[in-house]
Amino acid sequence: MKLIAGAVALGFAAMSGAAVVPAGVKLAAKQELIRNNGSEPESLDPALAESVGANNIARDLFEGLTANDAAGKIVPGVAESWKQTDPTTWVFKLRKNAMWSNGTPVTADDFVYGWQRFLDPKTASPYASTYGIFILNGLAITEGKKQPSELGIKAIDKYTLEVKTEGPVGFMADLVSNTQLGPVNKAAIEKFGKDWTKPGNLVGNGAYVLKDWQVNSKLVLEKNPKYWDAKAVVLNKVTYLPVEDGNTDVKLFQSGENDWVYQLPPGTYDQLKTEFPKDIRNAPMLGLRYYSFNNTDPLMKDIRVRKALSMVIDRDILASKVTADGQVPAYGVVVKGTAGADVTAYDWAKWPMAKRVAEAKKLLAQAGVKPGTKIKFSYNTSEYHKKMAIFAASEWKTKLGLDTEMENMEFKVLLKKRHDGDFQIARNGWVADYNDVTTFLTLVQCDSDQNDNKNCNKKGDELIKQASTTLDPVKRKTLMTQAAKVIMDDYPMLPLLQYTVPRLVKSYVGGYTKTNSMDRFRDKDLYIIQH
């Protein structure tokens, strides 16, 4: 949606993005799906959900103003229409038949409460500054400089919501598809406190309700009869598995205990494509695989060390021989297909590897780093991440003489260690929350909740600020591209690959598309075909 200057209204209204079963397709009598989610969710509170897995579930339990359909397109959620009345004001009209799972209506006040709670420092949301930066007074609230009541959101009436932004936000409809900027049920939270997300306590407004949650075993959802679009929801039951190991995931699929493999183990794509030609799925997505350098670490704080470590990783071999699943090399924080900026890359990316290694050795020598120096790498338990880590460690050993100590842990533990800065180099990854460059720049901006690198490039931040206030889309794109390049020239992180989504999904799972670059598949858009 392009931004328009002046007080001209830009409106939108559309039909629901619910499951559409093609004519002639016969549905199975049993509408139940088992899908692996890759890890145990750290939280089901939409304000605290941070990982891809946790947000997959949150989108089933909660619904924001808008949503992504099976093709990744923005469709109405609780808001049936919206318009931009001036460059910094948006008005959303809410549907009057949206209900909480306890039967009470979802109103504009529920969004006001949800947003204020999300950005309140007391909530300690890891996403607060990531989204708060766009809403009037949002960042000041997350920093404790203003009260949540001063946030730029207001209930005009029971079903009309007004949002004021800090600057022009042309991608607002994309932004509010994220459940962090959705409603939450105040009564349930006040009644149950921190236990409000447990089965029997959780009151949501999504297509499903939480039936059972056995930690590290399974999480079960059932269709929500109070959901406004319940008649269009086909699946009656969805079971999420928290399996981190890719090989175990595939075995469960082979034995019929899993309909949906989260991600194939590295190097298995071609073999499994031959073995399961009808079930193989793979598509490019707006996501970046990268390693975080702890820029405050005594060794990693030297830009020469960070640059040397990045230069010698042969991303072409990593993509073609190690992961071998269609991913492409990345040399910047912005990936192909991202709106609002061009992809940037380092000049040395085109050099012969021998020249890159020679330069990297010089940099380490200048930094006083000798062969045999130890570096510590942290990653979450997964064969995929282990193989990538072994490859990186081999590159650093054979080309630079550095020794890598590897430590693996549960994903929840890695999340905390990254946020706490308790690491030297750590496995990381980011899937776009909306299609605009700002979703990736949040990884490298000063004071961003999602900046695990602990870096700060003030010139880059200033360019982002300038870009965020301009109404000229061409100028904005130029400034954002410059910002990305300036920041990445500091080597705050080590970009590796642009994600694809190589997985196995049973051919009888209908509604799974190849065009969803956000990899957001709500279960309300899926169904089981007779087989």
Side-chain angles (χ1 to χ4, degrees):
M1 207 179 289
K2 289 186 177 180
L3 186 69
I4 51 170
V8 183
L10 177 64
F12 180 90
M15 299 299 291
S16 150
V20 179
V21 182
V25 171
K26 293 184 178 180
L27 294 175
K30 187 177 180 181
Q31 289 295 319
E32 297 182 4
L33 174 71
I34 301 175
R35 56 186 288 188
N36 184 33
N37 206 26
S39 63
E40 178 70 22
E42 67 279 3
S43 176
L44 295 184
D45 184 334
L48 301 178
E50 178 182 6
S51 66
V52 170
N55 278 287
N56 284 340
I57 301 169
R59 281 188 290 273
D60 279 345
L61 296 171
F62 301 93
E63 185 171 80
L65 292 165
T66 63
N68 293 91
D69 67 7
K73 295 179 181 178
I74 292 295
V75 294
V78 177
E80 58 186 5
S81 67
W82 52 90
K83 62 180 178 180
Q84 183 181 17
T85 56
D86 65 48
T88 57
T89 306
W90 291 79
V91 177
F92 296 85
K93 288 289 185 180
L94 311 188
R95 58 181 80 253
K96 295 180 181 179
N97 62 336
M99 308 286 285
W100 289 105
S101 54
N102 63 4
T104 58
V106 177
T107 68
D109 284 330
D110 293 321
F111 280 90
V112 174
Y113 172 71
W115 287 31
Q116 290 178 351
R117 174 180 176 270
F118 166 50
L119 296 178
D120 190 331
K122 293 178 183 176
T123 303
S125 170
Y127 259 108
S129 68
T130 305
Y131 295 158
I133 193 171
F134 299 113
I135 315 304
L136 184 65
N137 296 330
L139 194 58
I141 291 168
T142 66
E143 295 173 345
K145 297 175 182 177
K146 290 193 175 185
Q147 295 301 309
S149 59
E150 297 178 81
L151 186 66
I153 183 172
K154 180 169 65 174
I156 303 299
D157 58 42
K158 192 173 182 180
Y159 297 107
T160 307
L161 191 70
E162 179 188 84
V163 176
K164 294 279 189 180
T165 58
E166 285 284 358
V169 184
F171 50 91
M172 177 59 77
D174 294 70
L175 187 68
V176 296
S177 69
N178 294 284
T179 55
Q180 287 85 358
L181 292 174
V184 286
N185 191 277
K186 184 178 181 180
I189 293 173
E190 291 183 342
K191 181 178 180 180
F192 298 109
K194 65 180 182 178
D195 292 331
W196 80 275
T197 56
K198 290 186 176 181
N201 298 349
L202 193 150
V203 176
N205 71 318
Y208 294 86
V209 293
L210 180 62
K211 183 67 176 177
D212 187 23
W213 186 2
Q214 298 176 30
V215 177
N216 291 325
S217 176
K218 65 180 179 179
L219 186 147
V220 182
L221 308 182
E222 289 188 352
K223 182 177 175 179
N224 176 12
K226 302 293 185 181
Y227 179 58
W228 68 268
D229 202 22
K231 288 183 179 179
V233 178
V234 181
L235 290 176
N236 294 314
K237 179 181 177 181
V238 180
T239 300
Y240 280 95
L241 304 178
V243 179
E244 292 195 23
D245 182 74
N247 291 307
T248 301
D249 195 2
V250 171
K251 286 177 182 177
L252 288 171
F253 184 88
Q254 292 169 323
S255 65
E257 299 172 82
N258 179 18
D259 302 316
W260 182 307
V261 170
Y262 183 73
Q263 179 178 281
L264 298 183
T268 64
Y269 179 74
D270 288 339
Q271 170 205 330
L272 292 171
K273 184 178 181 180
T274 301
E275 187 177 347
F276 299 99
K278 294 181 180 179
D279 303 327
I280 199 78
R281 316 290 177 107
N282 201 7
M285 65 184 298
L286 296 179
L288 176 70
R289 290 191 186 280
Y290 69 100
Y291 290 161
S292 278
F293 292 131
N294 184 348
N295 285 230
T296 64
D297 177 82
L299 180 62
M300 294 301 151
K301 68 181 181 181
D302 192 318
I303 186 176
R304 294 169 297 190
V305 175
R306 301 194 301 271
K307 182 177 181 180
L309 292 173
S310 186
M311 289 183 80
V312 301
I313 298 292
D314 193 323
R315 290 142 174 95
D316 292 314
I317 291 179
L318 178 63
S320 63
K321 304 295 184 183
V322 182
T323 59
D325 50 17
Q327 296 182 88
V328 294
Y331 296 92
V333 70
V334 181
V335 301
K336 185 178 180 181
T338 305
D342 292 322
V343 174
T344 65
Y346 297 116
D347 292 339
W348 51 256
K350 297 179 181 178
W351 293 2
M353 183 53 71
K355 183 179 179 182
R356 284 160 59 172
V357 172
E359 178 64 21
K361 285 181 175 179
K362 287 181 185 178
L363 290 169
L364 290 184
Q366 291 169 5
V369 178
K370 298 178 181 180
T373 297
K374 284 190 175 182
I375 51 180
K376 193 171 186 179
F377 182 88
S378 306
Y379 68 98
N380 56 296
T381 305
S382 159
E383 189 65 22
Y384 203 102
H385 303 315
K386 181 180 180 180
K387 284 195 174 182
M388 288 183 65
I390 289 173
F391 174 76
S394 174
E395 294 282 82
W396 293 329
K397 176 66 175 178
T398 59
K399 295 174 180 176
L400 300 176
L402 303 178
D403 295 324
T404 303
E405 177 188 343
M406 296 196 293
E407 60 171 3
N408 71 302
M409 61 206 70
E410 285 188 355
F411 184 60
K412 288 189 291 185
V413 177
L414 180 65
L415 271 179
K416 188 175 188 308
K417 285 179 77 74
R418 289 196 313 229
H419 287 328
D420 292 346
D422 182 21
F423 72 96
Q424 196 168 45
I425 304 175
R427 200 287 297 182
N428 219 324
W430 186 256
V431 176
D433 291 313
Y434 49 89
N435 191 1
D436 185 77
V437 62
T438 49
T439 189
F440 287 105
L441 290 177
T442 190
L443 303 177
V444 289
Q445 282 180 263
C446 302
D447 304 320
S448 166
D449 290 328
Q450 296 300 327
N451 183 345
D452 292 331
N453 319 297
K454 316 300 179 187
N455 67 287
C456 180
N457 185 304
K458 292 183 178 179
K459 183 180 178 182
D461 261 32
E462 182 57 37
L463 286 167
I464 294 171
K465 188 179 293 184
Q466 289 177 34
S468 298
T469 57
T470 181
L471 292 172
D472 182 347
V474 176
K475 183 179 179 182
R476 180 183 187 271
K477 185 174 185 178
T478 299
L479 289 170
M480 287 293 189
T481 303
Q482 288 177 356
K485 188 176 188 312
V486 165
I487 294 173
M488 289 306 291
D489 281 345
D490 260 353
Y491 294 86
M493 59 154 74
L494 198 168
L496 293 165
L497 302 168
Q498 177 171 358
Y499 274 99
T500 56
V501 192
R503 61 168 60 112
L504 291 167
V505 179
K506 295 291 187 183
S507 57
Y508 53 70
V509 177
Y512 191 102
T513 66
K514 297 179 180 179
T515 57
N516 195 333
S517 64
M518 304 286 284
D519 195 38
R520 292 185 175 184
F521 290 99
R522 299 178 300 169
D523 287 305
K524 71 170 284 186
D525 296 318
L526 306 172
Y527 49 90
I528 304 299
I529 301 168
Q530 192 177 90
H531 59 282

